Amino acid sequence: MSTVAEKRGFLAVLWDYLTTVDHKKIAILYLVSGGFFFLVGGIEAMLIRIQLAIPDNDFVSAGLYNELLTMHGTTMIFLAAMPLLFAFMNAVVPLQIGARDVAFPFLNSLGFWLFFFGGIFLNLSWFLGGAPDAGWTSYASLSLASPGHGIDFYVLGLQISGAGTLIAGINFLVTIINMRAPGMTYMRMPLFTWSTFVASALILFAFPPLTVGLFLMLFDRMFGANFFDVTMGGNTIIWEHLFWIFGHPEVYILILPAFGIFSDIISTFSKKRLFGYAAMVFATVLIGFLGFMVWAHHMFTTGLGPTANAIFAVATMAIAVPTGVKIFNWLLTMWGGSIRFTTPMLYAVAFIPSFVAGGVTGVMLASAAADYQYHDSYFVVAHFHYVIIGGVVLGLLAGTHFYWPKMFGTMLNETLGKITFWLFLIGFHGTFFIQHFLGLMGMPRRIWKFLPNQGLDLFNMISTVGAFFMALAVIVLLYNVVITQIKNVRVGNDPWGDGRTLEWAIPSPPPYYNFKQLPLVRGLDPLWIEKMEGRKEMTPAEPLGDIHMPNNSFIPFVMSLGLFIAAFGAMYQVDWRASDGADYVWSIPVLIIGMLITIGSMAVRSLKDDHGYHIHKEELMDDHDDKGGRE
Amino acid sequence: MAHESTSANPKVNYEYRRRKARDEMRGQVTSFAMMIFMTFIAFIIVIADFDKFYAFPVLLVLAGAQVVLQLYYFMHMSHKGHGTAALFLYSGALIAFVTILTFLTIVWW
């Protein structure tokens, strides 16, 4: 069978994607929905910057501004950056380790649909009486006082999508531990696989505190509990701790996979193996480990006392060491390499100084005493945008260009890609570099407007102009995607020509079973080893045989839909109780029906055996024409 | 050597398997006896109404020891191929410990 899309009806394609358990299609689902939320979060950012372009502006109201900044942060972190990373993890990691799919294809699909419905639920708040407005951190003292259902949307939406993320993380852990091809030892895994592994471990340990925090918040807001209410004997600081015990590792969940993408790009386009591979692996693990010991540096000014502040400050600064190891290893990988400045490589090169700038301000913020000055100013805003955009978003854009051929079988236009790159880079530094100084000049973060003639006018205007450059870059990227898919020029196995790892040894996009025969891995950068010995493809590790495949399933969609419905019931029962049962009488039935749908579909999944199917050897033998073209 | 066969057939390497099973059984019985003994001590401490500052730490240490025995002897973590599981278990325990330590020292002081 050919992997090139056949002409099929729209409904057939839609049904295929709604029921798919194939990691490559789930990757596309993550990419499309993560991309959609990225645009939504981007529009929110543009509205924020337009409001702050000139002093004393009345473009948006104060309340709407709070909702915009809250939803911008929440959307970008939970619904854009993480799903987009999951898109690349799904598309690439099983291929990089020589597996035919992830360990639990059904769970993979469930993880996606939970994330998707959680994200939709959260964003429906815009149309149902107002979005959450207590910042993406949703500190309890603020959020418990927030009227309306905004915070309820935040709590329930993140609870649902967080469950999806946790499932996805566990799935990748099991996949990487158990499904590596023969010869693929831990120390031969590509860096993107390694960073996915560590990031998944962080998800495993970091999301439960968030879940607990969200549940406590849920009980406080919807069922009259008082975990965070100081007047009733609760403690509002506990939310901050729980949030940041999750929140700080979350930053590393985002940045480590981006590091992995850059490591693979830099070694590919320098035509060298990664310098200091073992040190890179060790640094990745160490960053992941230390990431759990530093959360209180977000809370220096809450009055933890000098001892606690000092401990967390020192632990935070310690993270600069493994990060520095990585920076130098990237530089030394490029040193003496035969460098090709393709679009992904441009992103990788620009990432290094941009991220270092974010790291340096990070160390400044880590000094607890100095942090009292920077706290809640635009300096912090500039810092985390340098880390998140200069690290994660550049990584995502680089990954989009680098892995596009492997995901879709076409090459994004390089000229347009470079235009996107320059517009984005200039826009990014234009927007955020100047915000360091705005912060040092005393502009607080999260303010709705500032007054004229306080020395803030010009810099804010420059920042807004920069944001428009970034918006333009994203539009060029979208145009690039559209024309590339319309032209539909197919590419072969290894379109970049210098692929080193297993994913470049099979067609683009790969057939649905990935590897006809599992490859034999003989060292780090297995495809490069074969190339150096004059071969064009991997040596198989097994004879051609039947392949066991999972069946598609609609159950993950229904299971997630049930929770989505139940969430509305859980939320509006507050109004039902407040009105003494007069209004919103449908809320409790809706809650019950939603839960029944979820539990019922779980029961169906558990009770009905689904053994999958086999692709027979004979079919695989007929399938010899899907080798890639360009060599 | 015959006993290196990895066959799942119980009749292969019968003697070797028998010896392994006997060793396994001895370990389990020993740890079972130890666990009973520790539970006995724990009850004595409570019944004899020992001072709180003495009783709490001892009870916690005994509980910890029982968890370890349970994991290694009855849940087979002492066998080969459980390295990854052990790594994740200890990492999780460490992170939970640091979290609780922080809460005890700077939130609920």
Side-chain angles (χ1 to χ4, degrees):
Chain A
M1 95 142 235
S2 164
T3 50
V4 178
E6 301 150 49
K7 283 272 176 232
R8 278 187 301 169
F10 172 73
L11 284 178
V13 176
L14 182 69
W15 180 250
D16 185 31
Y17 274 91
L18 287 180
T19 59
T20 189
V21 294
D22 180 349
H23 71 97
K24 299 176 287 297
K25 286 183 177 159
I26 290 173
I28 292 172
L29 288 174
Y30 268 120
L31 189 73
V32 171
S33 38
F36 167 74
F37 285 122
F38 182 73
L39 294 181
V40 172
I43 289 168
E44 285 152 5
M46 293 310 294
L47 296 177
I48 292 173
R49 274 326 311 170
I50 291 171
Q51 165 66 18
L52 293 177
I54 49 171
D56 208 12
N57 199 354
D58 277 318
F59 179 68
V60 294
S61 70
L64 180 59
Y65 184 85
N66 285 345
E67 295 177 3
L68 283 172
L69 76 87
T70 302
M71 285 300 282
H72 166 67
T74 313
T75 305
M76 283 302 196
I77 297 283
F78 290 100
L79 308 179
M82 269 211 296
L84 288 171
L85 288 168
F86 276 137
F88 297 125
M89 291 178 186
N90 263 303
V92 179
V93 167
L95 306 180
Q96 279 194 334
I97 60 172
R100 293 210 170 94
D101 205 324
V102 292
F104 306 116
F106 179 91
L107 282 187
N108 202 12
S109 161
L110 179 62
F112 168 76
W113 288 111
L114 283 171
F115 141 71
F116 180 78
F117 278 111
I120 294 291
F121 184 81
L122 184 52
N123 273 281
L124 281 178
S125 60
W126 286 115
F127 308 105
L128 296 171
D133 53 1
W136 87 282
T137 52
S138 201
Y139 276 10
S141 32
L142 257 182
S143 55
L144 289 185
S146 169
H149 282 303
I151 303 297
D152 304 339
F153 275 106
Y154 173 96
V155 170
L156 291 162
L158 288 190
Q159 196 69 282
I160 295 173
S161 76
T165 308
L166 192 51
I167 286 174
I170 293 170
N171 207 345
F172 279 113
L173 282 177
V174 181
T175 305
I176 294 172
I177 292 170
N178 285 333
M179 312 250 312
R180 285 165 289 132
M184 177 61 82
T185 59
Y186 281 114
M187 291 311 275
R188 287 176 182 175
M189 295 197 310
L191 243 277
F192 182 51
T193 301
W194 254 114
S195 54
T196 300
F197 184 63
V198 176
S200 303
L202 294 186
I203 289 175
L204 177 66
F205 294 131
F207 267 72
L210 177 71
T211 309
V212 170
L214 287 173
F215 264 123
L216 298 184
M217 176 75 80
L218 184 145
F219 285 126
D220 268 16
R221 281 198 54 106
M222 282 167 242
F223 298 99
N226 297 301
F227 292 107
F228 303 128
D229 186 350
V230 183
T231 58
M232 304 295 285
N235 188 339
T236 182
I237 298 294
I238 292 177
W239 165 269
E240 295 185 27
H241 277 288
L242 286 173
F243 187 86
W244 286 118
I245 289 171
F246 146 78
H248 199 80
E250 167 69 16
V251 183
Y252 294 109
I253 293 168
L254 296 178
I255 197 64
L256 287 177
F259 283 175
I261 292 174
F262 282 129
S263 302
D264 284 359
I265 287 174
I266 288 174
S267 92
T268 300
F269 294 114
S270 304
K271 272 199 167 183
K272 274 175 70 184
R273 66 170 276 177
L274 196 67
F275 185 90
Y277 172 83
M280 284 297 246
V281 169
F282 182 70
T284 308
V285 176
L286 193 62
I287 291 175
F289 181 75
L290 288 175
F292 277 97
M293 311 293 158
V294 298
W295 77 88
H297 67 211
H298 297 270
M299 303 162 58
F300 280 152
T301 58
T302 49
L304 305 175
T307 316
N309 275 5
I311 291 171
F312 281 104
V314 172
T316 305
M317 291 178 200
I319 292 190
V321 177
T323 314
V325 168
K326 286 174 113 27
I327 298 284
F328 283 109
N329 278 335
W330 286 317
L331 294 176
L332 289 168
T333 306
M334 286 190 270
W335 185 284
S338 151
I339 300 179
R340 268 203 303 151
F341 283 102
T342 57
T343 309
M345 188 62 176
L346 281 177
Y347 280 110
V349 172
F351 148 77
I352 295 176
S354 307
F355 188 79
V356 167
V360 168
T361 51
V363 175
M364 290 169 73
L365 288 163
S367 345
D371 183 68
Y372 276 80
Q373 304 301 315
Y374 308 130
H375 186 80
D376 260 351
S377 76
Y378 257 78
F379 190 83
V380 178
V381 177
H383 157 70
F384 67 69
H385 281 95
Y386 258 79
V387 184
I388 300 284
I389 300 185
V392 183
V393 177
L394 290 186
L396 290 169
L397 292 172
T400 306
H401 284 272
F402 189 54
Y403 291 123
W404 191 270
K406 195 44 71 183
M407 291 176 78
F408 296 96
T410 54
M411 278 289 251
L412 287 175
N413 184 304
E414 276 288 283
T415 314
L416 286 175
K418 283 172 188 169
I419 292 173
T420 309
F421 165 76
W422 284 111
L423 282 175
F424 195 87
L425 190 75
I426 292 168
F428 157 58
H429 285 284
T431 309
F432 295 108
F433 188 70
I434 208 126
Q435 290 186 1
H436 291 114
F437 300 99
L438 280 174
L440 294 178
M441 284 150 65
M443 181 165 163
R445 70 187 281 203
R446 289 175 172 170
I447 51 161
W448 163 50
K449 57 167 73 173
F450 57 94
L451 293 175
N453 303 320
Q454 295 183 332
L456 304 174
D457 308 18
L458 176 66
F459 282 8
N460 268 302
M461 192 56 179
I462 293 172
S463 184
T464 300
V465 171
F468 274 95
F469 272 85
M470 280 196 280
L472 203 57
V474 174
I475 292 169
V476 175
L477 176 64
L478 287 178
Y479 173 70
N480 194 354
V481 166
V482 171
I483 61 154
T484 303
Q485 291 312 99
I486 288 176
K487 280 186 191 159
N488 200 20
V489 184
R490 312 305 295 183
V491 295
N493 291 2
D494 184 11
W496 296 106
D498 293 322
R500 310 175 70 83
T501 40
L502 283 177
E503 73 267 33
W504 307 109
I506 53 173
S508 316
Y512 59 106
Y513 47 80
N514 292 356
F515 296 90
K516 206 177 284 185
Q517 293 160 286
L518 292 183
L520 179 68
V521 178
R522 300 193 296 144
L524 182 64
D525 296 340
L527 181 61
W528 191 254
I529 293 177
E530 303 292 332
K531 281 180 179 172
M532 287 301 99
E533 296 182 2
R535 276 183 290 275
K536 290 200 161 103
E537 46 188 44
M538 297 302 298
T539 314
E542 57 174 11
L544 195 59
D546 293 358
I547 297 176
H548 184 216
M549 298 291 290
N551 282 326
N552 280 3
S553 173
F554 191 51
I555 297 177
F557 183 93
V558 180
M559 226 183 254
S560 315
L561 181 68
L563 284 181
F564 176 75
I565 295 170
F568 282 103
M571 194 165 65
Y572 285 109
Q573 57 83 27
V574 178
D575 302 277
W576 173 70
R577 289 190 295 138
S579 66
D580 285 328
D583 296 319
Y584 297 98
V585 280
W586 48 266
S587 58
I588 294 287
V590 163
L591 174 62
I592 293 170
I593 290 169
M595 291 313 287
L596 283 180
I597 293 175
T598 299
I599 294 167
S601 45
M602 286 164 79
V604 171
R605 169 69 184 171
S606 302
L607 298 174
K608 198 167 96 23
D609 277 340
D610 183 354
H611 295 298
Y613 66 98
H614 281 88
I615 313 172
H616 294 290
K617 199 156 72 171
E618 292 71 25
E619 288 172 61
L620 290 170
M621 285 200 279
D622 296 339
D623 208 6
H624 48 67
D625 57 341
D626 58 8
K627 288 222 178 78
R630 207 182 115 177
E631 285 289 353
Chain B
M1 296 249 288
H3 69 254
E4 278 167 6
S5 165
T6 51
S7 165
N9 183 350
K11 286 187 178 147
V12 176
N13 311 326
Y14 179 71
E15 275 306 313
Y16 172 71
R17 276 166 199 266
R18 218 179 122 84
R19 198 169 67 243
K20 283 297 269 186
R22 200 177 56 224
D23 291 350
E24 180 87 348
M25 192 62 176
R26 189 187 298 149
Q28 294 203 349
V29 170
T30 315
S31 55
F32 184 65
M34 281 170 70
M35 287 167 86
I36 296 282
F37 181 64
M38 282 192 259
T39 314
F40 183 67
I41 294 175
F43 271 90
I44 297 276
I45 287 175
V46 176
I47 292 167
D49 210 12
F50 277 49
D51 185 53
K52 266 187 189 173
F53 287 94
Y54 175 72
F56 280 8
V58 174
L59 287 179
L60 283 174
V61 167
L62 288 177
Q66 295 232 22
V67 168
V68 171
L69 285 176
Q70 170 77 16
L71 282 172
Y72 277 86
Y73 284 96
F74 295 106
M75 297 175 81
H76 304 287
M77 235 168 79
S78 55
H79 289 195
K80 269 186 185 168
H82 290 70
T84 323
L87 174 72
F88 275 82
L89 227 146
Y90 289 125
S91 318
L94 179 70
I95 289 162
F97 173 75
V98 171
T99 305
I100 291 169
L101 182 72
T102 317
F103 271 52
L104 287 176
T105 47
I106 62 177
V107 184
W108 293 316
W109 44 277

